[in-house]
């Protein structure tokens, strides 16, 4: 689903309800910025032959290497400025003051090196008053439209039946949401960074790859639309929507946000979100 479509859905929801819950207001604002950027981007040419793509995937490597992820730095910085302003406005979510986000110059907050480190899942360069985790969230939100644009150009290379790894075939990111297919209940994971969807085993933890069924279970709500898969080995959880129950009309990428109460529930039970 496009970012624009998600923004529209949230616009409609806001109209119906008068006012969105505060967390959804935050997401709404972030998504408006991301959709605005997405609109300005031209589809990148993948720069990969089918042969190279097949070889990379065969070796378990994601399709987009850090050195090939190229984007307009000025546009990125403007995006980051907009995102940082929204974080500043909702700074109480992060237990920080609005000024903490406004004071440091952007180049100091996020450099090209920090984006590379973020992409590779490595530690970021020192960031001053704002914690690494929050800088990661800023980068995540600002890079997302650029990365999604690449994902759209590369997804055609992925052979779903053969990938089945616990990280994204396009960017190597972790999943933060999943759905069960309406036809046969197969489980698809959603990349937290680029929204790529990929097929994954239902009876395996997508974080530590544990397959011991004694350590894996799920909670579900009364009408069984949502599932919270949990793993006792690594203590992570995965929110999932069952499209056999919910129907295929729902927008999965939006459901990931609307289910924020499931995150709270998971944390209450002692499980961790994906870091
Ligand atoms: Zn991805
Ligand atoms: Zn696990």
């Amino acid at each position: 689903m496009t970012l624009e479509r998600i923004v529209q859905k949230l616009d409609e929801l806001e109209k119906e309800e008068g006012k969105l819950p505060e967390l959804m207001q935050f997401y709404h604002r972030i998504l408006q910025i991301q959709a605005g950027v997405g609109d300005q981007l031209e589809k990148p040419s993948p720069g990969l032959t089918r042969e190279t793509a097949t070889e990379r995937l065969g070796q378990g490597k994601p399709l987009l290497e850090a050195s090939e992820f190229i984007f307009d730095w000025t546009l990125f910085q403007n995006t980051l400025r907009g995102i940082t302003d929204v974080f500043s406005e909702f700074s109480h979510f992060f237990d920080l003051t609005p000024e903490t986000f406004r004071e440091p110059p952007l180049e100091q907050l996020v450099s090209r090196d920090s984006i590379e480190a973020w992409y590779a899942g490595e530690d970021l360069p020192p960031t001053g008053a704002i914690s690494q985790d929050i800088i990661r969230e800023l980068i995540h939100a600002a890079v997302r439209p650029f990365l999604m644009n690449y994902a759209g150009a590369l997804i055609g290379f992925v052979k779903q039946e053969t990938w089945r790894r616990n990280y994204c075939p396009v960017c190597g990111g972790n999943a933060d949401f999943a759905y069960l297919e309406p036809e046969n209940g197969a489980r698809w994971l959603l990349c937290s960074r680029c929204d790529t969807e990929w097929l994954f085993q239902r009876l395996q933890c997508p974080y530590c790859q544990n397959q011991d069924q004694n350590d894996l279970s799920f909670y579900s709500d009364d009408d069984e639309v949502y599932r919270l898969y949990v793993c006792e080995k690594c203590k992570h959880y995965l929110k999932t929507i069952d499209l056999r129950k919910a129907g295929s009309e729902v927008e999965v990428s939006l459901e990931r946000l609307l289910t924020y109460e499931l995150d709270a529930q998971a944390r209450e039970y002692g499980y961790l979100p994906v870091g």
Side-chain angles (χ1 to χ4, degrees), residues 204-210 215-216 230-237:
Q204 184 174 12
C205 170
Y207 304 115
C208 70
Q209 305 202 64
N210 173 29
D215 289 334
L216 298 168
V230 295
C231 171
E232 295 309 326
K233 199 170 161 210
C234 70
K235 294 304 257 184
H236 280 99
Y237 70 89

Side-chain angles (χ1 to χ4, degrees), residues 168 170-173 191 193-196:
C168 171
V170 171
C171 80
C191 178
R193 310 202 296 192
C194 75
D195 271 32
T196 291

